[in-house]
Amino acid sequence: SIVVRVWGALWVVAGVGVGLLAPIEMYSFALFSTGGPFYYEGFGFGSLMFANIAIQIAGYYVIAALALVLGYGHLKIRRWARTLAEALLWSWLVVGAPLVVLAFGILVTAKDLSLLGALVGAVAFAALYLIVPGLLLWFYRSRGVRLTFTTHDGSAGWVEAMPMPALVLLCLSVFYVIVLHFPILLNGIYPLFGSFLTGLEGIVALTLSIACLILIACGVAGLKRWAWWASLLYWLLLAASLVVALILSSWEEMLSLMVFAPLEREALSGVPLEGYHLAAFFGLPLLLTAVVVLLSRRSFFADRATKPQAPELVLPPSSG
């Protein structure tokens, strides 16, 4: 219990620290705006740097919220905290690779790193994706930790009642609801089976996708069978739409669709990328999410009658 509470205190400290970074990061808008020391022509809504700052701020708030919730659950040693932490770790293994690559790319481009520094950073980010989650999964699934949580919290709540594959799918759905807001910052770009929607049309398509995913997430939370079919169809269609659109488009064509500042377009135009690179980069997490949907099928279609029921209280016969 001491180890669990210390780990919870670290979560709280991390949550407070990351949460304080979010409002400080907002000052970056002033640094890049007109009159700021880093201003360049075209900076504003639609530019890459504007989107980068906004996404970082949103990420800080999401990480802070999760860290504080998990910290509270660990300090109070609630069973849902262990279950939720395990589900989030599995979700990270599904979507974490592109996020780690993006973070490493931002680090390399923003900092003048030496070859040794770049190698150390690459190893650290690789460990963040695989080694650290693996160790944490081993920690949470160990017998001592499981007994600690069940001993201090005898009541199983809604989170523990959900099968782990379904809970992972729910976490991924919430994550993608947040992520689907980000293309709005990039001229609303939306892949549609070989082409891209932009501007208001793209934003409307993103809004409909977000609304559908929220509805599906509600169904997943209730283990509704229609939600499983809807999830499978949603992710297969979205993955196919994204992959086909990226493969059939060039990097320069996609740059022309996004309203980047002249300086940003000049810097990005020389990047040796092709559509199939981006298709593999962004399509893999969506396909892995579809795999999670398939793995969660038993959670939705198990016979309700075979699910374990709460034991009934049997009173001894009266002597009278």
Side-chain angles (χ1 to χ4, degrees), residues 20-192:
L20 292 176
L21 286 176
I24 295 175
E25 182 68 19
M26 291 182 184
Y27 184 64
S28 299
F29 287 120
L31 297 178
F32 284 91
S33 298
T34 304
F38 305 124
Y39 169 75
Y40 56 88
E41 181 183 356
F43 174 79
F45 188 87
S47 67
L48 180 61
M49 183 55 68
F50 186 97
N52 179 40
I53 297 172
I55 291 171
Q56 286 189 56
I57 293 171
Y60 288 150
Y61 278 121
V62 171
I63 294 172
L66 288 175
L68 291 174
V69 169
L70 289 174
Y72 171 81
H74 283 71
L75 288 173
K76 294 293 185 179
I77 313 186
R78 297 289 186 260
R79 290 170 61 173
W80 58 260
R82 187 190 74 86
T83 306
L84 180 60
E86 185 176 340
L88 290 172
L89 288 168
W90 285 115
S91 301
W92 171 253
L93 292 176
V94 173
V95 300
L99 297 178
V100 167
V101 173
L102 281 175
F104 179 70
I106 293 174
L107 176 66
V108 171
T109 55
K111 305 293 184 181
D112 187 15
L113 297 178
S114 62
L115 178 60
L116 178 60
L119 290 175
V120 171
V123 172
F125 277 103
L128 181 63
Y129 172 61
L130 285 176
I131 299 177
V132 174
L135 292 175
L136 289 176
L137 282 172
W138 170 82
F139 169 76
Y140 283 115
R141 304 185 75 175
S142 63
R143 182 174 181 272
V145 172
R146 287 188 286 108
L147 287 177
T148 299
F149 278 96
T150 54
T151 301
H152 285 77
D153 185 9
S155 59
W158 168 77
V159 174
E160 298 83 47
M162 284 197 71
M164 182 56 65
L167 186 58
V168 172
L169 179 59
L170 178 60
C171 292
L172 289 172
S173 299
V174 174
F175 169 78
Y176 284 116
V177 165
I178 299 173
V179 170
L180 283 172
H181 285 78
F182 296 155
I184 297 175
L185 300 170
L186 304 173
N187 197 28
I189 188 167
Y190 186 88
L192 189 62

Side-chain angles (χ1 to χ4, degrees), residues 18 32 53 88 171 177 180-181 191 200 204 220 230 241 259 273 280 293:
V18 174
F32 284 91
I53 297 172
L88 290 172
C171 292
V177 165
L180 283 172
H181 285 78
L200 183 58
V204 170
V220 170
S241 179
V259 189
L273 280 178
V293 176

